[in-house]
Structures are given as C-alpha cells and as structure tokens.
C-alpha cells in the first residue's frame, strides 16, 4: 500500500504552459516536502509545508497544503525546459523517517 | 564542503556476491538514511540512523545491513546479492532544526545484479 499517491505519473507539456501535480494521502500528516530530481542525481528539496491551507511560492512554483493536511499540490506557471525532472512529495513521521510518493515525471518541450 | 558523497557510482555484481556501498557526509548531521529507487518509482527507505551507534530498519531492510561507527560514515552492506537488489541507491543526511528536517542526498550508486 502506497502511503502517498502522486498524479499524474507522467506529464509532457510545451514550454510556456502551466501545470499542476498532486500528492494525496488517506492519512493526515504533520508536514510535507516537495523535491525535484534530475536524471542521474539525487533529489533536491524545494519546499516544506506544515500548516493546513498554507501556500508557498518559489519563483514560478506555487505549493499548497490542503486544509485537512491530507493532500498537496504543486503548480508551475509558464514551464521552462529547466523544470524537466521527477517531482517527488515526501512526508516525515515523528521518528524523522521519510516516506516518498511515486513521483511525477515532467518533460517540458522547447 | 563536499556534502554527501557516495562510492562507487556504478557496480555490477554476480548473484551471491557481497559488497559495501560507502556514504560519507561532512556537514555534521546526526541523521543519515539509505534509500533505493527502482525505475519510475519513488524512494524506499532501507535503513536510517539518528546518530553514531544507533541504526534502525526502514520499509525495505531485508537483504541489507548497516553500521554507524562515526557521525560521518554510514555504509550499506549487501551480503548475498540478488537480482531483486538491482536498483539505484541513495544516501542522505539531514539537518532538523525545530523538527523541520531538510535532507541532502548523495549522487547515488547504480547497482546491477546479474
């Protein structure tokens, strides 16, 4: 059973388009992180959200934590080829263990 | 700072062979982790450590062992390699101010078991 479900699994869009990817769980979690992983490299942390309803912005990326703290979304405005990569959400339990979603593989075509 | 370093980058093993994946961090982080990532999938936690001398199992520990004799090093041992252990292995360390942990990942070790 996957603790975190991400959708869509794959996404291919043209440069300049907007997109949203989702991370959902049947459980409530205290905090959630989003990572981006480029081919051949380890994931890099983008953001941590901790408060229900919280919205954080990182340049063209907007992260939202659901009010009930069971879901999160990542919206990218005017996607660029440099945004290409695997986007992973992860939650941390009270023992500082991390559980990752299956990821959304994004390709931005120039 | 070099961050988290892993060696080797690539390795091919025969079934039944053993090997140790090395991981070192120079950030003085207490927490360290080993993950495996299968194609098209997220990361699965194998083992983790909250400090020198302390290790614990993650989601998928079978077939692996770890040790943590120093803060810097967290090697992962495969005793009897099996094809199911073909994967990319990532080591990470984390800094946890006020329970908001940020993980720093190494570049990974790509392992193939034939």
């Amino acid at each position: 059973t996957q603790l975190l479900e991400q959708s869509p699994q794959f996404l291919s869009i043209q440069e300049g388009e907007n997109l949203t990817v989702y991370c959902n769980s049947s459980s409530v979690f205290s905090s959630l992180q989003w990572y981006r992983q480029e081919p051949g490299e380890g994931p890099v942390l983008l953001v941590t959200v901790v408060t229900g309803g919280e919205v954080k912005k990182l340049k063209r990326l907007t992260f939202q934590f659901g009010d009930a703290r069971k879901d999160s979304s990542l919206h990218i405005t005017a996607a660029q080829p440099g945004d290409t990569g695997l986007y992973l959400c992860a939650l941390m339990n009270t023992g500082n263990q991390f559980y990752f979603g299956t990821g959304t593989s994004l390709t931005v075509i120039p | 700072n070099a961050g988290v370093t892993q060696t080797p980058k690539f390795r091919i093993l025969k079934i039944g062979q053993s090997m140790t994946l090395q991981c070192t961090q120079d950030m003085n982080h207490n927490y360290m982790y080993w993950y495996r990532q299968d194609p098209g999938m997220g990361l699965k936690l194998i083992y983790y450590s909250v400090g020198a001398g302390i290790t614990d199992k993650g989601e998928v520990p079978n077939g692996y062992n770890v040790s943590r004799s120093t803060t810097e090093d967290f090697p992962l041992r495969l005793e009897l390699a099996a094809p199911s252990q073909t994967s990319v292995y990532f080591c990470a360390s984390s800094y946890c101010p006020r329970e908001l942990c940020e993980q720093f990942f190494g570049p990974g070790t790509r392992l193939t078991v034939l």
Side-chain angles (χ1 to χ4, degrees):
Chain A
T1 302
Q2 186 69 30
L3 196 60
L4 288 173
E5 297 286 347
Q6 290 190 243
S7 60
Q9 188 175 359
F10 299 97
L11 190 56
S12 181
I13 62 170
Q14 295 289 330
E15 182 176 0
E17 291 183 347
N18 301 333
L19 66 112
T20 303
V21 298
Y22 301 91
C23 176
N24 296 287
S25 173
S26 57
S27 303
V28 174
F29 33 82
S30 58
S31 67
L32 184 130
Q33 297 183 326
W34 283 95
Y35 291 79
R36 179 169 64 214
Q37 183 180 20
E38 299 188 12
E41 298 183 8
V44 175
L45 179 67
L46 296 173
V47 76
T48 301
V49 286
V50 296
T51 304
E54 182 177 5
V55 177
K56 283 191 173 179
K57 293 193 173 186
L58 186 66
K59 296 183 180 178
R60 292 175 295 99
L61 278 61
T62 302
F63 304 86
Q64 185 158 8
F65 202 13
D67 291 340
R69 293 189 290 131
K70 296 172 68 173
D71 56 89
S72 181
S73 64
L74 159 59
H75 181 80
I76 301 179
T77 303
Q80 298 178 1
D83 295 327
T84 292
L86 180 67
Y87 288 82
L88 295 160
C89 63
L91 62 85
M92 186 182 75
N93 69 8
T94 54
N96 290 339
Q97 297 177 55
F98 290 85
Y99 295 89
F100 282 81
T102 50
T104 292
S105 179
L106 172 65
T107 302
V108 182
I109 302 167
Chain B
N1 288 349
V4 180
T5 57
Q6 292 183 238
T7 57
K9 288 189 182 297
F10 304 93
R11 183 72 185 269
I12 298 175
L13 286 181
K14 294 182 179 179
I15 294 172
Q17 287 186 319
S18 62
M19 76 165 293
T20 299
L21 283 67
Q22 301 292 345
C23 175
T24 300
Q25 54 97 5
D26 62 359
M27 297 173 282
N28 202 34
H29 289 166
N30 283 335
Y31 295 91
M32 294 189 75
Y33 310 83
W34 273 106
Y35 295 91
R36 60 175 288 171
Q37 186 175 33
D38 297 327
M41 303 293 289
L43 285 77
K44 297 284 189 183
L45 182 63
I46 304 171
Y47 270 95
Y48 68 103
S49 170
V50 302
I54 306 170
T55 63
D56 211 341
K57 297 177 180 179
E59 290 181 85
V60 290
N62 291 345
Y64 307 95
N65 276 300
V66 293
S67 59
R68 183 95 182 271
S69 57
T70 66
T71 298
E72 294 79 19
D73 300 305
F74 190 39
L76 177 72
R77 178 85 177 160
L78 282 70
E79 291 292 351
L80 290 170
S84 62
Q85 294 178 305
T86 294
S87 190
V88 181
Y89 291 84
F90 289 99
C91 178
S93 69
S94 71
Y95 167 62
C96 301
R98 302 184 303 277
E99 300 181 352
L100 293 180
C101 291
E102 177 174 359
Q103 288 190 100
F104 296 84
F105 283 83
T109 294
R110 185 176 296 274
L111 175 67
T112 302
V113 182
L114 300 174

Short mmCIF file of all heavy atoms in Angstrom, two decimals, chain A residues 8-12 85-87 103-107:
data_model
loop_
_atom_site.label_atom_id
_atom_site.label_comp_id
_atom_site.label_asym_id
_atom_site.label_seq_id
_atom_site.Cartn_x
_atom_site.Cartn_y
_atom_site.Cartn_z
N PRO A 8 -0.31 13.53 -12.13
CA PRO A 8 -0.20 12.32 -12.94
C PRO A 8 1.18 11.68 -12.78
O PRO A 8 2.09 12.29 -12.22
CB PRO A 8 -0.39 12.87 -14.36
CG PRO A 8 0.19 14.24 -14.29
CD PRO A 8 -0.16 14.76 -12.91
N GLN A 9 1.33 10.48 -13.29
CA GLN A 9 2.62 9.80 -13.20
C GLN A 9 3.60 10.40 -14.21
O GLN A 9 4.79 10.51 -13.93
CB GLN A 9 2.45 8.32 -13.46
CG GLN A 9 3.71 7.50 -13.20
CD GLN A 9 3.47 6.01 -13.33
OE1 GLN A 9 2.36 5.56 -13.61
NE2 GLN A 9 4.52 5.23 -13.14
N PHE A 10 3.07 10.74 -15.40
CA PHE A 10 3.89 11.33 -16.45
C PHE A 10 3.17 12.56 -16.99
O PHE A 10 1.95 12.58 -17.10
CB PHE A 10 4.14 10.35 -17.60
CG PHE A 10 4.86 9.10 -17.19
CD1 PHE A 10 4.16 7.94 -16.91
CD2 PHE A 10 6.24 9.08 -17.09
CE1 PHE A 10 4.82 6.79 -16.52
CE2 PHE A 10 6.91 7.93 -16.71
CZ PHE A 10 6.21 6.78 -16.42
N LEU A 11 3.95 13.57 -17.37
CA LEU A 11 3.38 14.79 -17.92
C LEU A 11 4.37 15.37 -18.92
O LEU A 11 5.54 15.59 -18.59
CB LEU A 11 3.10 15.79 -16.80
CG LEU A 11 2.29 17.04 -17.12
CD1 LEU A 11 0.94 16.67 -17.74
CD2 LEU A 11 2.08 17.86 -15.86
N SER A 12 3.89 15.62 -20.14
CA SER A 12 4.73 16.21 -21.17
C SER A 12 4.01 17.44 -21.72
O SER A 12 2.87 17.32 -22.20
CB SER A 12 4.98 15.20 -22.30
OG SER A 12 5.81 15.76 -23.30
N GLY A 85 12.06 17.17 -14.92
CA GLY A 85 12.60 16.34 -13.86
C GLY A 85 11.50 15.52 -13.21
O GLY A 85 10.34 15.55 -13.63
N LEU A 86 11.88 14.78 -12.19
CA LEU A 86 10.95 13.97 -11.41
C LEU A 86 10.60 14.74 -10.14
O LEU A 86 11.49 15.11 -9.38
CB LEU A 86 11.58 12.62 -11.06
CG LEU A 86 10.73 11.64 -10.24
CD1 LEU A 86 9.54 11.16 -11.06
CD2 LEU A 86 11.58 10.45 -9.79
N TYR A 87 9.31 15.00 -9.94
CA TYR A 87 8.86 15.74 -8.75
C TYR A 87 8.31 14.74 -7.74
O TYR A 87 7.39 13.98 -8.04
CB TYR A 87 7.82 16.78 -9.15
CG TYR A 87 8.44 17.93 -9.90
CD1 TYR A 87 8.70 17.82 -11.26
CD2 TYR A 87 8.81 19.09 -9.24
CE1 TYR A 87 9.32 18.85 -11.96
CE2 TYR A 87 9.42 20.14 -9.93
CZ TYR A 87 9.67 20.01 -11.28
OH TYR A 87 10.29 21.03 -11.96
N GLY A 103 6.07 9.78 -7.48
CA GLY A 103 6.67 10.80 -8.34
C GLY A 103 5.87 11.13 -9.58
O GLY A 103 5.07 10.32 -10.06
N THR A 104 6.07 12.35 -10.07
CA THR A 104 5.54 12.79 -11.37
C THR A 104 6.73 13.16 -12.24
O THR A 104 7.52 14.04 -11.87
CB THR A 104 4.62 14.01 -11.22
OG1 THR A 104 3.44 13.64 -10.53
CG2 THR A 104 4.26 14.58 -12.59
N SER A 105 6.83 12.48 -13.38
CA SER A 105 7.92 12.76 -14.31
C SER A 105 7.46 13.82 -15.30
O SER A 105 6.55 13.58 -16.10
CB SER A 105 8.32 11.48 -15.05
OG SER A 105 9.36 11.74 -15.96
N LEU A 106 8.08 14.99 -15.23
CA LEU A 106 7.69 16.13 -16.07
C LEU A 106 8.72 16.35 -17.17
O LEU A 106 9.93 16.41 -16.91
CB LEU A 106 7.59 17.39 -15.22
CG LEU A 106 7.38 18.71 -15.98
CD1 LEU A 106 6.03 18.71 -16.70
CD2 LEU A 106 7.50 19.91 -15.05
N THR A 107 8.22 16.48 -18.40
CA THR A 107 9.07 16.86 -19.53
C THR A 107 8.51 18.13 -20.13
O THR A 107 7.32 18.18 -20.48
CB THR A 107 9.10 15.75 -20.61
OG1 THR A 107 9.58 14.54 -20.02
CG2 THR A 107 10.01 16.15 -21.76
#
